[in-house]
Each structure stands twice: as structure tokens, then as C-alpha cells.
Amino acid sequence: MSDLTRMLQETVTDAVAEKRPLQLIGGGTRSFYGRTPKGDPLQLAGHTGIINYQPKELVITARAGTLLSEIESVLAEQGQVLAFEPPRFGEGSTIGGVIASGLSGPARPFNGSTRDFVLGARVINGQGEILRFGGEVMKNVAGYDLSRLMCGALGTLGLLLDVSLKVMPRAVVERTQVRSCSEAEALALFRELAGKPLPITAACFTDGQLCLRLSGSRPAVLAAAQRVGGEELDQAAAFWVGVRDLQHPSLASDRPLWRISLPATATPIEGIESTGFIDWGGAQRWLSGRRDVTPLRDQAESLGGHATLFRGGDRDSEVFQPLQPTLLDFHQRLKRALDPVGIFNPGRLYPQL
Amino acid sequence: MIQVLPLNSATEEKNISFSLGELVAGLRELLPDDGVLLEEEDTRPYECDGLSAYRQLPMIVVLPSTVEQVQEVMQLCHKLGVPVVARGSGTGLSGGALPHPQGVVLSLAKLKNILEIDPAARTARVEPGVRNLAVSEAAAQYGLYYAPDPSSQIACTIGGNIAENSGGVHCLKYGLTVHNVLKLKVITQQGDMITIGSDALYSPGYDLLALMIGSEGMLGVVVEVTVNLLPIPETTGVLLAAFDDVEKAGIAVGEIIAAGIIPAGLEMMDGFAIQAAEEFVQAGYPIDAAAILLCEVDGTRQEVEEQIRLVREELLACGATEVRQAEDELQRQLFWKGRKSAFPAVGRLSPDYYCMDGTIPRHRLPEVLKGIAEMADEYGLRVANVFHAGDGNMHPLILYDANKPGELEKTEELGGRILELCVEVGGTITGEHGVGIEKINQMCVQFSPAELAQFRAVKAAFDPDGLLNPGKGVPTPRRCSEYRTLHKGHD
């Protein structure tokens, strides 16, 4: 447990004065994500500690450098979890990296995303000021919601000092049902089941098998398992950790990995069979290998979604789907409002930010 | 002493000047005759929202009926430099839709089409003037509903819900508006249309949805909303528990949560509110109780049975004097009717009432209730407490008589101090009603000057001329320094 706030503020203040960009680094396990980092490295992994944890209030507040594994084990002692299942890309994954990347695990369509669980944050802005937004309560509409805005911003809007998150009880029982089917059948079944009041908390398709995770009380999960049919999967917890951390063989290769984010109801995307990995009940589809960017993005867009070069490939290119000009303009203005000289992670999200 | 500063000192720091003739002529060109209201008899109904203590006769009210018209009105107002206050159905409780004396009220009430319900994707695409409840009603045929259910849901619009990030009684489990919206089409102050979010679960770039939702009409005008729909739960169970002590009820809330249960709804009412509600709707509430808890759980039949059993155990272990389960849908509705009519019920006991909206960490409830009671005594006013116990959002109702000279001022002062107490215990001045004009002074208490300056910079990024809902939400530095000076005098 150590509080580096003062040192971090001084470093930022100096960097602002010298207009010297900083590259914010937590555990470094997400360094593959986003565009090539630039600027002087500033290590945040030493800024650690759980500041407040109130199980009955369903809230935990931790410094950005706190290990995700530490937070999750402290929560587990009280039978609680981070319900958005943040991926752990390595032992060093920090809660700051979880927020900055905004990535959520298999439970995302059913339990909500990383930002859905953010209640508040303390940040150092691009003027070296320490600001607190949101708080530790569930409902709070005072001021603009700048704490949730930090999610997925890849550190380009400020240096996260600490974050308050809503936590949830761990399900009493979890059970995964599998059944063999084609991709088209899987997508149809996802749609059908999503409209029913069933305790589903994960739904993926891989290797010609559809996997559904059910969570809740024992009798509820048993009844739901009978309704959805199929066989019970052994070692299901390990399987879902693999899905969460992208350890599945078709995702863990060295080839470029594309994340296609689509409405769950979108038709199969051309070429998806080569990877055959669909998560989020159809809303997240993975493609691997070299792809022709423009047609891929056009296709994703025509289906109502986006294509991200998630890992590998040319990290100096536009790894995120380019924004419409007016929208990009607002992004630039917002960036300037929080980081007027542009010292935080320049270019990590978009070249213009 | 604390004073509520009149709107005029909310001080737009720049001068607003434009030709009224040019504006009216321009608007008449864009809209049909009945879309531009100028006469006092027509504009008077728009002088306030649900916070009727604040009134301002609008200069002009416009009622566009298409998105294109909204965009053209915004382009014209941008060109001429005219302030714009967007408005839904005017049920807001913080004066967020209070007109600007030199501005246009942009009513979105005519944009009330449900554009599409996609049962397979479980989404509804609606115009901003669609009423909250109408979305669930339209989705019901597919076994779906829209989760956020503010108590004004019969009348309030989705556009207004976006502006305020509305909650309701089911927030702890199902979230606020921000957790249930996928995509927005927004007209900016400059009159451009932008699409924020998407039909997919991830969108690239900054999370502008989170920023726009709850921004009280100060960053853009929402013209289309895609919301997420949920399957209607298979079944629902409700328990009503009576306590002879508010503190015991508060402890029970914590124990239910510690037992791993996230109730769909968990509401508390104090003795005063119980009696008022019972007199009003005969819900069968135990009128001698110091507090009651209403706990609703939903899910599959098996899940609900299990949770009802666990919740009952916790309630009894925490000293509930009585625990009743709603035996059928009729009784369930009746239990809720008492809670849902608590405001008007309390209102019947007094010529006027003022509804507050602070949120606190739940474990501080006993001391906050005690503090409220002491302050109420000090001001000689009565306060009834209705509490979204699951999420810590309090709605103290202050009873007063606006016809008694000075009583409204006294009430607002008490209200302000209640909110400051919420901040003191680690909470916030507004859980779901918004800052609007009502709580603008308390923003100076909750946030530092640097934080407020950051809010102003974000506002300027979207609205450099400060013409969207000016004077609301974020106080000017001058207002804060005036308020802090007055506040010091009080201490």
C-alpha cells in the first residue's frame, strides 16, 4: 500500500510546464492494446492500495496501481465479485489498466460493462490538478459524469489516481451447458434465449459448440439448465477464464487479432469461420490473421458495428475504427478541455488525440 | 445565513443580444404557425417544470415536430446567439427546464413516435418526447420492458430521462438510464447532428454516452434514443417488513445485501410517511411502525422462492416486528401503491411540500435521519422520509405553506442544509433529480473550484458560447464566491 499522489502530481506538473508527453504505464499487461505508446514512461504500478471497501455498501475504492488479482481476492473473501469480469492479461494487471482499457469479459452483455460499474474516480488532469468526480454511492447525478468518461479513454484524458467501483455478490451456483451446432444456429439461439427471462451470464460459440453459463441459486440454475438443454461442461470456470483472458487457441496465436463489435442480431460476418469464436451472445466476434482493413470496416459498419485491430498488426495505423469528422472534432475539443497541452498518452487512442 | 440567489444572479457572464424580430421571423419560416408560441396565454404553461417554486415566463416557445425542424431551430439560434432550453414534459424536479428570460424554450413534446421495437435485438428506438411508460407498454407484447422507472414514468419523457439520468425504484439491480441506453442522436449547439454509441455493445472513442446522459440539456439536444429492453421477469415477490426503530430497518438493508441478494426494489418509509400513505390509499401498512421496508425480488420462480426465504430470515433476524408477503398480484400492487403515492399522500397533509434528493452511503442513514429531524425542529418544519434504501437515495419531503411569508425561503434553506449533510457523510446533493437551478449553490459545496472549472471547460467544448440551458447545472465562479461568503456568515 503506497500513495504516490504527490509525486505523480509533481511529475505531471513538470511535464505540463515542459510540454513533455507522458506515457502512463500500469502493469504493462495491456500494452499491446491501442496505438503505439509515446512519451516519457510514467510508472503507476507503485501507486497501490485498497482505500475503502464496504461489502454492505457494494463499493470498493482502490488506487490505480492496485493489482486486479488483489482486488478480486479481497472481494472473494466477502463473496463478492467485479461483475463485468475484467480480463487479466497477466499477473501484473492493475485496476487502472482495467479502467483505461475499458475491456469487459464474457458477462458483459448480461451484467454490464466496466464503465457501468464505475461510481467515481480521482484523476490528475492536464493542468496538474487533482479532481474527484462521482463518488462512492450508487446514484449520483451532480456534475458531468467525467469518471465514467475515463473508461476506455486509454489514459488520454487524465491520470487516474483511484477509482470507486460497484461490486456484486458472487452467484451461489454457476453451471455451463454446451451443445453442438453451426454458427448460424448458435446466433439464432442466442437471439431466442436473450429474449427469455433466464439466468444466463455468458454465451459464446467456439469449435462448433455453443456454451451458455447460468448463474443463480441452485434450484434456479438446475431448472434453467433443463430448459436450455445440452450437456453440462466440465471445468467450466477454467473455460470462462480462458474466454475472458483470450487464451483460447484460436485467439492466443501471434497473428493479428480483430475484434468485431456488432449488434448481436447481425448476420454472420464474412470470414468469421476461420476463427470461429463468437462471444457476448453474438455481439463480439473475433477474427484473426491479416485482413484488408477497409472492406472489413465497411462490412462491420454496414452491420451496425465496428472493427478494432485488437492485437498485433501495424500499431501505428488506425487500430480503432475512425470516427466521423464531426464526432472526431468533439473528441478533440474534449481532449483539450481535460488535457490542454496534450501530455497524456498522445496518439494512443487516435492519432489526433 | 444561507440565501437562495435569484436566477438573475446565475449570471450569464456574457451579454446576450440579438434581434427578436429576426428570431421570430426565422422561426416562423421554419415551423408551422402553431409551432411558435409568443402570446403569454400560450407560453405561461411553460414557465416552470415540476419545481414550481421557480418560474420564468419564456420569451418564445417552439414546438418542432420533426428532427429536421429541431436541427434548423438550433442552427438559427446558433447563428443569432440565442439561448435554448430544451424541454420534455416538464416533470423535472430541479428546475432544469426553467426558461431563460431571453431564450427559446425548445419543446420536444411533438417528437413522440416509437420508431422501432426490435424484439430480436431487444431494443427500442424512440423519439425524445415518448413517455417512459409508453416504451414498456409497447414492448410488453414481446415479453420485454424498459427497466428505469422514475415515479413520474406515466408522464416523463425519455428525452428528459436522458437529460437527468433518471433512476427509479429498481436501480440497484437494473441501473440508471446510463446503463440502459445504447445510442443517441444529438443535435449540437452548432446545429450538427452526431450519433453517439451504436447498436453494438462497444463503440470506439470516448464514452460520450456516459457524458451526455445526465448532462441536463447543457451539451446537446437529444432527438433519438435507442434503449435496451429486458425480458419481463418470470415472477416477482414482495415482502413488507415493519420495524419499531428506523436504525433496525437500516441494518436489515445491509444484511440483505451481505446475504448476497440484490433486490429488484428495496424501499424504506418512516413513520410519518407510512401514516400519510396509509390514510391516502389504505395499502394495509402497519401505522404504528417507526419504519417499513418493502423488498421486491424478481427472476425465475425458483430464484424468487429462494430469495424470499432468505430475505424473510434476514428481516426477522434484524428485529422486524412483522413480515408480510404479498399473496397475489393485487396485494403486490397495493404494497407498491402506498410507496408510489407517498409524495401526494404527504402533500395532502400540507398546502405545499418540497422533495429533496440526496444520496448517502447507506450505513450513515441513522445519523442522517437524526440530523434531518434536528434541523427540521430548528426550522419548525415537518419532514417525512422516503428512501430508496437499496441504493442510498433519500427523498426527504419538507412540508410547508407557501402562503406564509418567508416559509418557502426557510424550506429551501433547510433543504440546502440537508443536502450539505449528505455531502458531509460522503454522499451527493442529487441522486436522480439533477442539479438544475435548484441545487446550483450546493454544487459549490460538493465540488472544488478546480473541479467546477473542469466542468465549465467540458461544457465549453460542446457549447463554446454557453447558449444551451445557460445558468443551470454548473455554477459560475462568482456565484460560488457569493455563496461561500454567505455560507461563512451562517457558520
Side-chain angles (χ1 to χ4, degrees), chain B residues 133-160:
Chain B
L133 190 60
V135 179
S136 288
E137 285 170 351
Q141 60 182 306
Y142 306 107
L144 302 171
Y145 77 112
Y146 177 58
D149 59 344
S151 55
S152 56
Q153 71 176 148
I154 295 171
C156 66
T157 64
I158 293 292

Side-chain angles (χ1 to χ4, degrees), chain A residues 56-57 115 132 140 166, chain B residues 172 207 255 362-363 451:
Chain A
K56 289 180 189 174
E57 299 284 337
R115 76 93 138 126
R132 182 171 190 257
N140 185 356
K166 180 182 179 184
Chain B
L172 185 67
D207 195 338
E255 291 304 319
R362 274 185 280 95
H363 67 280
E451 286 157 356

Side-chain angles (χ1 to χ4, degrees), chain B residues 32 34 117 124 130 217 229 233 257 284 313 352 360 370 423:
Chain B
D34 61 357
I117 294 204
V130 170
L229 303 171
I257 296 199
E313 276 173 20
D352 300 284
I360 57 167
K370 196 160 158 262
V423 175

Side-chain angles (χ1 to χ4, degrees), chain A residues 6-18 20 22 24 42 124-129 159 343-344:
Chain A
R6 186 180 292 266
M7 183 278 277
L8 293 170
Q9 189 180 20
E10 279 168 15
T11 308
V12 170
T13 307
D14 290 349
V16 173
E18 295 159 22
R20 183 168 42 82
L22 297 171
L24 308 180
L42 176 56
I124 301 177
N125 71 0
Q127 298 182 73
E129 296 165 328
L159 185 157
I343 57 156
F344 293 126

